[in-house]
Amino acid sequence: MENRSKKIKIQLPDCILSQIYSKLGLKDLVKTSALSKLWRHEWQLRKHLNFDRHDMFDHKKVKGLPKTFALLQGFQSEYVTRLDQFMLHYQGDMIDSIRVNCPLSYEHSDVIGRLISKGIAKGAKRIELLLSYQNSFCLDLKPFEFSFDILSGTDTLTYLHLQNCYLKPPMEFSGLKNLRTLVLQLVDVTQNWLEGLLSNCIYLVNFTLDTCEINSDLKIIGPTLFRLKIINCCVKITDEKNIHIIASNLSSIEYSCNGVSVHTMNIEAHMLSKFSFRGWKIYEPVGFSGLKNVTTIVIDGVREILHPTNIVSLLFSECLQLEDVTFKNCKGIDDTNITSPNLRHLKIIDCGSTQRIDINALNLASFEYSGHTRRNISVTAPMLSRVFWNAANRVKDPHPFGPITIGQSRVAVGPKIEIAVWCIAAFLLFKYVCVTVSDALCIAKIGHNLYRCSHNLDLNMR
């Protein structure tokens, strides 16, 4: 029949099919084999293997991790069985990436080992093993054992993320020559182990230690290292450790510590331009001598009290290249005088109850302040064009700003934020004085005009 619909055969290149399959979960991927004879084996050509626990089971049956140890063991057994069966029938010639996201332990080392071996043999460039537990009853389980010997001789791997693994010390290990990014999370780290690993990663650019147990002093040496993160670590008060960083091309460091104590740090990185720090103390354990060329810095949560000066004054006196500075949640900072010829952006967010802040910055372009307003802020900044004041914490006190010097005139606020101030005033009138929107805007407009007239009269009198 002429009106009979004709079958249209569409053959897509393997690279397009692989891209489509990479967007599907594993169980949905296998189901595609029932849709067409042409697709019966095509799913086996997928190059990005994502074994996420949410995609391995029916969402209606598994909404979260099991809540008892016995159920968890059954969950793990079913997961590794499905993974092993998938790899047994996998016929692809190339694997680009492997991602395993499921709480597994040392009992499943053989299955994961076979997966990694097959991936390395087929040229895998990215491997992620996300094996952390979330339940309290899982804390006593022995973590998955990862041996770097399985990666010996591989030059294709560029990204490696290991989470909640016991890392066996590499014995005469040679590999990872082209590794660019290394993320270690929830693992125990010692100097001997780290030294052997980093000596093989001769092109390492990004290195992260996240929530790791640092059991010895560390010396991190990386001539190609560009970004370093040591985050969410914890230091025992009676067992403080030192971290020595030697990296000639290092551009940024992010450090955060949970608890009262922090690591002492020696930084030898003359190219360092960005430094982020979260902890209770910074000057005594870290100091600013290794931050001479830093242009961007974030200091969060510092509660260090020094006399007769303070952290802020020491920072600007020793780090003369600073352009972008943020203080967050810092306590115990006395009256502060900030003087910097290069400073362009300054943020002071929720920093205690300092009574006075004097800012003298010739090139300051933006200033953001958030927190309690029981203080006086005086600003001398000829280039200042943007001021943000978060009044969320304001109760009865007026705005904290004293005179802001801009060019040759002294005004209460910068000229580019006058309209914003009066818009806020209109909103406050509407919300708290219970006037109509039109009346609030009218009152704000009259106030703005009166302000401009008084300001012009004041300039003429001068």
Side-chain angles (χ1 to χ4, degrees):
M1 297 176 61
E2 295 181 358
N3 295 330
R4 182 179 297 176
S5 60
K6 296 181 179 180
K7 294 182 179 180
I8 301 176
K9 294 184 179 180
I10 301 177
Q11 293 184 350
L12 297 175
D14 289 346
C15 60
I16 301 297
L17 286 173
S18 178
Q19 184 67 19
I20 295 174
Y21 294 150
S22 67
K23 307 298 183 181
L24 299 176
L26 185 61
K27 68 179 191 307
D28 294 328
L29 184 63
V30 176
K31 289 179 181 179
T32 61
S33 61
L35 298 178
S36 170
K37 293 181 179 180
L38 296 176
W39 290 356
R40 182 168 298 174
H41 302 291
E42 292 292 336
W43 63 271
Q44 300 174 14
L45 301 176
R46 181 173 178 173
K47 296 181 180 180
H48 300 278
L49 305 184
N50 183 12
F51 300 100
D52 193 297
R53 60 185 175 86
H54 298 97
D55 297 329
M56 300 279 281
F57 299 92
D58 192 338
H59 289 287
K60 295 181 180 180
K61 296 181 180 180
V62 180
K63 295 182 179 180
L65 289 175
K67 299 184 181 300
T68 66
F69 183 73
L71 290 175
L72 177 64
Q73 285 186 314
F75 179 85
Q76 292 173 327
S77 178
E78 180 65 21
Y79 176 91
V80 296
T81 299
R82 295 188 181 193
L83 188 154
D84 212 20
Q85 288 295 316
F86 179 93
M87 294 307 300
L88 183 64
H89 295 89
Y90 183 81
Q91 298 178 0
D93 295 329
M94 293 182 59
I95 295 177
D96 286 339
S97 66
I98 294 174
R99 183 176 183 269
V100 177
N101 182 16
C102 184
L104 301 178
S105 61
Y106 76 100
E107 297 176 349
H108 315 105
S109 299
D110 291 341
V111 174
I112 303 302
R114 289 194 295 271
L115 170 65
I116 295 175
S117 296
K118 195 165 188 176
I120 292 299
K122 293 180 179 293
K125 300 176 182 177
R126 183 185 181 102
I127 294 178
E128 296 177 77
L129 300 182
L130 311 180
L131 313 179
S132 66
Y133 300 98
Q134 299 176 351
N135 302 69
S136 59
F137 62 80
C138 300
L139 297 178
D140 295 332
L141 290 178
K142 187 177 179 181
F144 168 77
E145 293 185 353
F146 184 88
S147 175
F148 277 89
D149 293 336
I150 200 172
L151 303 177
S152 184
T154 177
D155 293 330
T156 60
L157 198 63
T158 61
Y159 184 101
L160 179 62
H161 185 169
L162 302 177
Q163 180 192 78
N164 195 41
C165 298
Y166 170 71
L167 306 180
K168 293 183 178 180
M171 303 299 293
E172 299 181 357
F173 170 71
S174 62
L176 304 179
K177 300 299 183 182
N178 290 311
L179 191 68
R180 298 295 192 273
T181 300
L182 175 61
V183 180
L184 302 178
Q185 186 177 10
L186 292 169
V187 302
D188 294 344
V189 178
T190 61
Q191 173 58 27
N192 292 335
W193 177 89
L194 185 63
E195 183 179 1
L197 178 61
L198 293 182
S199 63
N200 284 279
C201 305
I202 57 177
Y203 295 116
L204 190 65
V205 175
N206 307 301
F207 182 37
T208 298
L209 296 174
D210 184 358
T211 324
C212 290
E213 185 76 23
I214 300 177
N215 296 318
S216 67
D217 293 341
L218 294 185
K219 179 178 286 188
I220 299 175
I221 302 176
T224 61
L225 196 61
F226 191 74
R227 284 177 288 270
L228 174 64
K229 292 183 180 182
I230 304 173
I231 54 178
N232 302 316
C233 56
C234 186
V235 179
K236 297 179 181 178
I237 298 178
T238 59
D239 191 24
E240 296 182 357
K241 302 294 189 228
N242 177 68
I243 299 177
H244 190 182
I245 301 170
I246 304 175
S248 57
N249 287 298
L250 188 63
S251 176
S252 69
I253 295 177
E254 180 181 347
Y255 176 88
S256 64
C257 188
N258 303 321
V260 177
S261 298
V262 299
H263 293 91
T264 59
M265 298 177 67
N266 299 319
I267 301 174
E268 298 181 34
H270 65 276
M271 297 295 290
L272 187 65
S273 62
K274 296 181 180 180
F275 184 75
S276 177
F277 180 92
R278 180 173 62 81
W280 278 43
K281 293 183 179 181
I282 183 173
Y283 189 73
E284 291 183 357
V286 180
F288 301 134
S289 60
L291 310 177
K292 298 293 185 182
N293 296 319
V294 168
T295 58
T296 301
I297 192 168
V298 177
I299 298 179
D300 185 1
V302 169
R303 288 161 169 76
E304 193 171 13
I305 300 177
L306 301 174
H307 296 290
T309 183
N310 59 36
I311 293 297
V312 177
S313 299
L314 286 170
L315 175 66
F316 284 98
S317 64
E318 296 188 31
C319 303
L320 303 179
Q321 305 300 320
L322 288 173
E323 297 180 2
D324 192 332
V325 177
T326 300
F327 298 103
K328 297 171 58 179
N329 306 307
C330 295
K331 312 297 181 183
I333 298 177
D334 296 329
D335 292 353
T336 300
N337 188 335
I338 297 175
T339 301
S340 174
N342 296 318
L343 185 63
R344 292 182 55 81
H345 308 285
L346 175 63
K347 296 180 181 179
I348 301 176
I349 303 173
D350 299 332
C351 289
S353 57
T354 301
Q355 296 302 314
R356 182 175 180 82
I357 299 176
D358 293 321
I359 301 172
N360 190 338
L362 297 178
N363 289 295
L364 186 65
S366 68
F367 176 45
E368 177 180 341
Y369 178 83
S370 175
H372 295 288
T373 59
R374 293 180 179 177
R375 62 185 71 192
N376 184 23
I377 300 176
S378 176
V379 181
T380 301
M383 304 298 293
L384 186 63
S385 61
R386 185 170 64 251
V387 176
F388 176 78
W389 170 44
N390 183 356
N393 294 321
R394 177 179 181 272
V395 183
K396 296 181 180 179
D397 302 316
H399 72 75
F401 296 106
I404 299 180
T405 301
I406 300 177
Q408 298 299 320
S409 62
R410 294 174 64 81
V411 295
V413 292
K416 292 189 177 181
I417 60 169
E418 292 174 13
I419 296 177
V421 169
W422 292 113
C423 287
I424 294 173
F427 171 75
L428 294 176
L429 285 170
F430 170 72
K431 185 173 183 180
Y432 296 108
V433 186
C434 298
V435 299
T436 64
V437 175
S438 59
D439 289 341
L441 291 173
C442 182
I443 294 171
K445 184 177 181 181
I446 293 172
H448 179 246
N449 291 333
L450 289 174
Y451 169 81
R452 294 301 300 162
C453 291
S454 63
H455 174 64
N456 293 333
L457 179 61
D458 179 54
L459 291 179
N460 292 332
M461 291 178 64
R462 292 183 184 180

